[in-house]
């Protein structure tokens, strides 16, 4: 299968889509912007020079207040796994909202254990006990607490360039100065070198870089901790960091070293879970390792706040030593959403779609790389792909301004793309997994033109 990238200057045409958005009668874009500026916390930022207002979504498409359609290649920051307002997810959520919205886990309800059981069926044997929360940050906080309780140690190893959340303890795990405030945050966290071969300080093959990066964990433990650690937490593919990952040997070696020093291994599957990487349901499976704790969020709820921590019973039991409670954790509506999402991923073959169309998109991106000197690196798996833009391939200087130009140009042509990396120079392509081959080809065509425009800007 080959993707087609137009070499002509003919106008780009979005694939046909048999859907008419509802007429929008709400406040104008200017009014919404003014209200937001007046009353929302100024820390909230928007992506484009002229903020885009989105009022409706259907599968892989979003609509602005004028009814203009956009191909969504960022999925609400990798959160819309099945498609915007997917009919099955909507029906199940609506049914649950109309029946019982909330009672808490103080009472029995079938949805929560049903979803926990469903997750266990997707996990490696032994990872069969789940605690539900509402966000990825909360899930990572809880995972670290459990690891500390279970091991009796405090120190945690995370990776440089990681993003694990913005709550004060998750901020300590995150490793970008841009996301860290000068306040107290998760302590006793040490950041080991990322195995990403594109920006590693080590030289050699990706395998050698992976091995030496894993060895850095051992050094960090010996020099910066009491010699024993509670946990190692890592994203199988770093998302916010710009879709970076190491060679296949990295996690095997990293997990071995961490376990030799008493630590548990935590896989942060907030972006990589639920089939997005194509070949496997969980990102860690691409690296042939079995974590002790798995955290998940985002695509799990397809837009409904839903996150979880799955682990082995003996680790989970440590949380029973004190009272622990989460008001919305296990909420019947979010549980209904999670069950519906997992059903859709299975029934509609979305993991396979991520594999096949991710391959098509990646192949097209490589072709673009051969024609656009701006593209320094193309990487990722399935429908979790990154394109790193550089001003000079030899020095790998981040092309931060050009990345913004590409985003703006693509938006003008009807395609929404994400951005990541510490320098903000990585295009993130992580669409809803229901995307079609025509969408992929259209997205590539638009990207081709946007890159040309950005290079000439
Ligand atoms: C890998 C990863 N972990 C954790 C989080 C935090 O999730 P949340 O924003 O739901 O707290 C994110 C959010 O982007 C993430 O990408």
């Amino acid at each position: 299968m080959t993707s087609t990238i137009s070499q002509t200057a003919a106008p780009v045409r979005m694939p046909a889509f048999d859907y008419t958005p509802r007429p929008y009668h709400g406040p104008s874009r200017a009014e919404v912007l003014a209200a937001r500026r007046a009353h929302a916390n100024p820390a909230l930022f928007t992506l484009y020079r002229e903020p885009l207002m989105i009022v409706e979504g259907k599968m892989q498409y979003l609509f602005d207040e004028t009814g203009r359609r956009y191909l969504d290649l960022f999925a609400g920051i990798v959160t819309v796994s099945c498609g915007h307002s997917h009919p099955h997810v909507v029906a199940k959520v609506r049914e649950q909202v109309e029946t019982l919205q909330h009672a808490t886990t103080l009472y029995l309800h079938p949805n929560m254990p049903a979803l926990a059981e469903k997750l266990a069926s997707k996990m490696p044997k032994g990872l069969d006990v789940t605690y539900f929360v509402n966000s990825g940050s909360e899930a990572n906080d809880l995972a670290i607490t459990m690891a500390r309780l279970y091991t009796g140690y405090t120190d945690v190893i995370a990776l440089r360039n990681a993003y694990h959340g913005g709550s004060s303890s998750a901020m300590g795990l995150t490793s970008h100065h841009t996301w860290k405030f000068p306040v107290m945050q998760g302590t006793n966290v040490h950041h080991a070198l990322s195995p990403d071969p594109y920006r590693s300080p080590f030289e050699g093959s990706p395998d050698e870089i992976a091995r030496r990066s894993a060895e850095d964990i051992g050094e960090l433990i010996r020099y910066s901790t009491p010699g024993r650690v509670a946990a190692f937490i890592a994203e199988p593919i770093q998302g916010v960091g710009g879709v970076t990952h190491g060679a296949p040997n990295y996690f095997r070696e990293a997990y071995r070293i961490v376990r030799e020093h008493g630590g548990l291994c935590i896989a942060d599957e907030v972006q990589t879970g639920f089939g997005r990487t194509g070949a496997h349901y969980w990102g860690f499976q691409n690296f042939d390792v079995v974590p002790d704790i798995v955290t998940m969020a985002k695509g799990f709820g397809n837009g409904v706040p839903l996150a979880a921590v799955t682990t082995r019973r003996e680790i989970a039991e440590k949380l029973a030593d004190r009272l622990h409670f989460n008001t919305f954790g296990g909420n019947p509506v979010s549980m209904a959403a999670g069950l519906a999402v997992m059903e859709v991923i299975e029934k509609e073959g979305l993991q396979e779609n991520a594999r096949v169309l991710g391959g098509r998109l990646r192949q097209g991106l490589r072709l673009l790389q051969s024609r656009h000197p701006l593209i320094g690196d193309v990487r990722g798996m399935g429908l979790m792909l990154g394109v790193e833009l550089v001003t000079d391939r030899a020095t790998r200087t981040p092309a931060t301004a050009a990345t913004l130009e590409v985003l703006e140009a693509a938006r003008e042509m009807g395609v929404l793309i994400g951005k990541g990396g510490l320098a903000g120079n990585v295009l993130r392509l992580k669409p809803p997994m229901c995307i079609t081959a025509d969408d992929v080809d259209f997205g590539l065509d638009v990207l081709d033109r946007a890159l040309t425009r950005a290079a000439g800007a």
Side-chain angles (χ1 to χ4, degrees):
M1 166 207 335
T2 45
S3 54
T4 52
I5 299 175
S6 142
Q7 305 257 9
T8 70
V12 280
R13 191 175 294 234
M14 198 178 299
F17 187 59
D18 187 16
Y19 181 78
T20 309
R22 300 151 212 226
Y24 174 75
H25 301 297
S28 70
R29 184 180 157 283
E31 285 166 341
V32 171
L33 188 58
R36 186 164 148 146
R37 283 190 176 141
H39 299 294
N41 187 300
L44 297 172
F45 52 88
T46 53
L47 196 52
Y48 300 106
R49 277 184 209 119
E50 285 298 322
L52 177 64
M53 180 145 116
I54 294 295
V55 296
E56 194 167 338
K58 192 71 191 165
M59 303 308 282
Q60 66 274 39
Y61 295 109
L62 289 169
F63 298 89
D64 69 14
E65 74 284 7
T66 69
R68 179 169 182 199
R69 179 159 59 103
Y70 296 86
L71 173 63
D72 183 8
L73 294 187
F74 201 27
I77 319 190
V78 211
T79 298
V80 177
S81 45
C82 306
H84 292 280
S85 297
H86 188 287
H88 182 65
V89 181
V90 169
K92 289 291 177 181
V93 166
R94 179 180 294 141
E95 192 181 303
Q96 188 56 52
V97 168
E98 285 171 357
T99 318
L100 174 73
Q101 243 186 310
H102 183 74
T104 79
T105 47
L106 292 177
Y107 309 99
L108 298 185
H109 187 278
N111 287 6
M112 192 270 277
L115 186 55
E117 190 179 0
K118 182 79 191 158
L119 279 177
S121 77
K122 292 288 185 189
M123 288 282 172
K125 205 168 168 342
L127 288 168
D128 54 8
V129 177
T130 294
Y131 198 108
F132 293 102
V133 292
N134 313 294
S135 69
S137 303
E138 273 184 301
N140 286 332
D141 286 359
L142 193 59
I144 298 295
T145 300
M146 283 195 223
R148 285 177 170 156
L149 290 173
Y150 182 74
T151 60
Y153 303 115
T154 313
D155 289 84
V156 172
I157 308 295
L159 289 187
R160 286 202 198 158
N161 199 44
Y163 186 86
H164 294 293
S167 66
S168 51
S169 54
M171 197 191 296
L173 303 170
T174 290
S175 169
H176 273 180
H177 74 276
T178 45
W179 294 109
K180 281 165 142 353
F181 290 100
V183 295
M184 274 299 285
Q185 46 188 278
T187 54
N188 293 71
V189 179
H190 313 274
H191 290 101
L193 290 168
S194 145
D196 167 26
Y198 194 69
R199 297 227 167 254
S200 176
F202 298 128
E203 289 190 356
S205 67
D207 274 32
E208 282 160 4
I209 290 171
R211 185 178 47 74
R212 294 187 66 188
S213 306
E215 284 167 3
D216 183 54
I217 296 173
E219 295 296 290
L220 206 51
I221 295 174
R222 279 190 288 280
Y223 282 104
S224 304
T225 79
R228 307 289 283 171
V229 292
F232 166 66
I233 182 166
E235 303 152 87
I237 302 175
Q238 294 181 323
V240 174
V243 198
T244 58
H245 64 87
N249 55 321
Y250 176 72
F251 276 104
R252 276 197 306 276
E253 300 189 24
Y255 276 26
R256 179 181 55 76
I257 292 168
V258 170
R259 285 173 172 152
E260 277 171 11
H261 294 87
L264 298 182
C265 296
I266 304 172
D268 178 338
E269 292 281 347
V270 167
Q271 293 205 16
T272 46
F274 299 93
R276 179 157 292 278
T277 63
H280 296 282
Y281 202 79
W282 303 110
F284 62 77
Q285 293 169 315
N286 293 291
F287 300 98
D288 201 19
V289 289
V290 177
D292 302 293
I293 304 179
V294 180
T295 59
M296 63 203 85
K298 286 192 183 274
F300 190 12
N302 201 50
V304 169
L306 171 59
V309 184
T310 299
T311 186
R312 298 195 302 272
R313 176 165 296 276
E314 72 267 21
I315 298 169
E317 270 169 356
K318 289 289 168 190
L319 213 54
D321 287 352
R322 290 286 188 284
L323 292 171
H324 186 80
F325 187 70
N326 188 304
T327 298
F328 294 114
N331 170 280
V333 179
S334 54
M335 298 298 99
L339 283 163
V341 164
M342 292 181 78
E343 277 162 23
V344 168
I345 291 170
E346 267 171 34
K347 283 203 187 122
E348 298 183 6
L350 295 187
Q351 180 186 323
E352 179 60 6
N353 208 42
R355 190 184 70 77
V356 173
L357 294 186
R360 186 183 186 98
L361 183 53
R362 194 186 161 97
Q363 188 187 26
L365 293 171
R366 287 244 182 252
L367 204 60
L368 290 181
Q369 184 178 23
S370 69
R371 302 220 308 268
H372 293 278
L374 255 182
I375 300 185
D377 197 23
V378 171
R379 55 191 178 234
M381 297 177 190
L383 285 174
M384 180 154 179
L385 297 174
V387 179
E388 178 149 359
L389 303 188
V390 291
T391 54
D392 176 341
R393 283 187 181 170
T395 60
R396 301 186 176 181
T397 307
T400 307
T403 307
L404 282 175
E405 289 306 325
V406 171
L407 249 58
E408 293 284 350
R411 173 225 165 136
E412 273 177 40
M413 290 182 269
V415 175
L416 307 183
I417 297 173
K419 176 168 77 80
L422 181 58
N425 68 318
V426 182
L427 302 173
R428 291 164 70 194
L429 302 157
K430 309 170 178 187
M433 297 190 289
C434 58
I435 194 169
T436 68
D438 284 348
D439 293 320
V440 167
D441 296 346
F442 169 65
L444 286 166
D445 190 6
V446 164
L447 203 50
D448 193 12
R449 293 163 197 257
L451 285 160
T452 304
R453 229 155 96 178

